[in-house]
Amino acid sequence: MVKASRPRTAADTLEKLYRHFRTWYPEPLTAITVERVEAWKARRLNEGRSPSTVLRDLFTLSSVLRRAVKAGELTENPVRRVDKPRVDRRGKVRFLDQAEETRLRNALKARDEEMQNRRTCGNNRRQTRHQRALPPLTHFGDHLTPAVLLSMNTGLRRGEVLKLRWGSVDFNRRLLTVEGRNAKNRQTRHVPLNEEALSVLRRWREQSGTGMRVFDVATGFRAAWEKILKRAGISHFRWHDLRHHFASRLVQHGVPLNTVRDLLGHSTVGMSLRYAHLAPDQRREAVAKLNEKPVLALSMRLKWEGFSVASCYWATKVVSRPQQHFGARL
């Protein structure tokens, strides 16, 4: 049933269930009690698993038991009464600082130039041997640079990048469409293309040809990605962090969180709150007001040229002097 209702994630769900709960398979569903799930959760946390990982695994089990309740195999879902691990949904996110981004771009450029030079030398040798030359690498060494730059400028997930088709790229309207069947939440979204993303896609299409998929690769980017990070001297940075980098830059430039949510394809703005601390809002100015001295209104009667004048003065600074009181005559 899971293959029919969740075809895109069925294999991952079934593998996760087998890995964590295969010892429960021979037993009836009624043997899965709240106490048993609580014990499993405690054991996983004591083994050092992060709360977010344990929570995801609990959700996987809960989805199966919820289906069993609908089918009449269980009277209730025991996972619903299990205390869930507390997860910091606004924890620190990893994104590139300016120096890291510069090093990454330079490393990608150097890698492309090396691959282009090797292709040119190889074609020269083929020409002397009267062999057919390989297509020239006019813009990039391979798919890595355009894929990285596209992710940095659109926030697409790696799976969305790999499944992207040229038919989903509208160069005239400067728009990229992530189709629902390829999105994590199964909802279609439209992402505008900025100048760099548009230029990268045009040059990559010119070089790669007119196939159906934008990046027609079977192995993905893992090996090449790890090598380029090492070359750029960047550590603890995943491909998914390019998505965080995209969102962080938007928020730093004052883009509202709800717009960021829409561009990332988050179902709720709560998932985008992890970037809220990067926004140039009024919180810093609000706290800075504590440095200011209180403003006092002083009513003083002054005699000037024989006239009694009542004036109200607003003082922004009050200087305390020895043996002088506010009520003293000026």
Side-chain angles (χ1 to χ4, degrees):
M1 185 174 294
V2 67
K3 292 182 179 180
S5 59
R6 296 288 187 272
R8 192 172 63 88
T9 58
D12 179 66
T13 299
L14 293 173
E15 188 275 333
K16 187 180 293 186
L17 287 171
Y18 179 79
R19 177 160 32 99
H20 297 307
F21 307 106
R22 62 179 179 274
T23 58
W24 299 4
Y25 282 11
E27 305 178 47
L29 289 174
T30 53
I32 304 177
T33 62
V34 175
E35 294 75 18
R36 192 169 189 179
V37 178
E38 285 280 8
W40 176 89
K41 179 197 70 176
R43 185 175 68 255
R44 292 275 288 166
L45 292 172
N46 291 334
E47 290 173 352
R49 299 296 187 272
S50 68
S52 59
T53 298
V54 176
L55 186 61
R56 283 195 300 268
D57 294 340
L58 283 174
F59 283 159
T60 301
L61 177 62
S62 181
S63 64
V64 175
L65 299 182
R66 184 171 63 249
R67 180 72 60 177
V69 172
K70 288 183 178 181
E73 301 292 336
L74 278 176
T75 56
E76 68 167 351
N77 180 359
V79 179
R80 297 189 62 180
R81 295 197 287 127
V82 173
D83 293 332
K84 306 303 186 296
R86 294 186 179 274
V87 177
D88 184 3
R89 299 187 182 277
R90 298 180 64 175
K92 185 177 180 180
V93 294
R94 177 72 166 98
F95 59 94
L96 298 172
D97 59 31
Q98 188 59 54
E100 289 176 321
E101 181 177 345
T102 299
R103 294 203 306 271
L104 178 59
R105 288 177 177 272
N106 290 339
L108 289 168
K109 183 179 180 180
R111 179 178 179 273
D112 287 337
E113 291 175 351
E114 291 172 2
M115 297 179 72
Q116 290 169 328
N117 291 336
R118 287 199 297 269
R119 176 61 59 89
T120 300
C121 294
N123 281 338
N124 290 338
R125 289 194 300 270
R126 287 183 176 86
Q127 185 176 7
T128 59
R129 299 171 185 173
H130 304 287
Q131 296 176 342
R132 185 178 179 180
L134 297 175
L137 303 177
T138 52
H139 301 294
F140 307 103
D142 61 2
H143 59 275
L144 183 64
T145 295
V148 170
L149 296 180
L150 181 65
S151 296
M152 288 177 62
N153 287 282
T154 61
L156 265 63
R157 301 177 177 89
R158 180 166 57 183
E160 294 169 345
V161 171
L162 285 170
K163 295 176 182 177
L164 184 63
R165 295 175 178 269
W166 285 117
S168 299
V169 180
D170 190 333
F171 287 97
N172 294 327
R173 298 174 59 199
R174 305 164 67 95
L175 200 66
L176 181 153
T177 300
V178 178
E179 299 180 17
R181 65 174 181 269
N182 298 327
K184 184 177 180 180
N185 61 359
R186 308 301 294 271
Q187 300 298 311
T188 297
R189 73 179 189 276
H190 306 283
V191 182
L193 296 171
N194 62 11
E195 288 294 338
E196 182 175 42
L198 202 63
S199 173
V200 164
L201 286 171
R202 281 174 173 161
R203 287 181 290 155
W204 176 242
R205 184 174 64 169
E206 178 184 327
Q207 177 176 323
S208 63
T210 56
M212 293 288 293
R213 292 166 57 185
V214 176
F215 300 105
D216 194 11
V217 294
T219 57
F221 314 115
R222 191 177 304 277
W225 175 243
E226 292 176 355
K227 290 180 180 178
I228 202 67
L229 288 179
K230 184 176 181 179
R231 182 170 186 165
I234 299 174
S235 58
H236 306 295
F237 193 79
R238 308 162 300 165
W239 185 281
H240 191 76
D241 291 328
L242 291 172
R243 181 171 164 86
H244 295 321
H245 183 65
F246 166 76
S248 299
R249 288 192 303 165
L250 289 178
V251 174
Q252 287 170 338
H253 283 83
V255 177
L257 285 178
N258 196 49
T259 302
V260 175
R261 176 202 64 78
D262 186 45
L263 291 171
L264 292 177
H266 287 162
S267 56
T268 64
V269 73
M271 300 183 67
S272 303
L273 286 176
R274 68 184 70 181
Y275 311 109
H277 67 286
L278 300 172
D281 56 14
Q282 287 75 40
R283 289 175 300 177
R284 190 180 302 275
E285 289 80 358
V287 175
K289 291 183 181 299
L290 297 177
N291 297 326
E292 301 176 5
K293 300 297 182 182
V295 178
L296 301 177
L298 303 179
S299 296
M300 295 171 287
R301 298 184 61 87
L302 298 178
K303 290 184 177 181
W304 178 63
E305 295 183 353
F307 294 96
S308 178
V309 181
S311 302
C312 182
Y313 295 89
W314 291 87
T316 58
K317 292 184 179 179
V318 177
V319 180
S320 178
R321 297 176 180 174
Q323 297 182 351
Q324 182 173 340
H325 303 283
F326 290 125
R329 184 179 299 273
L330 298 179

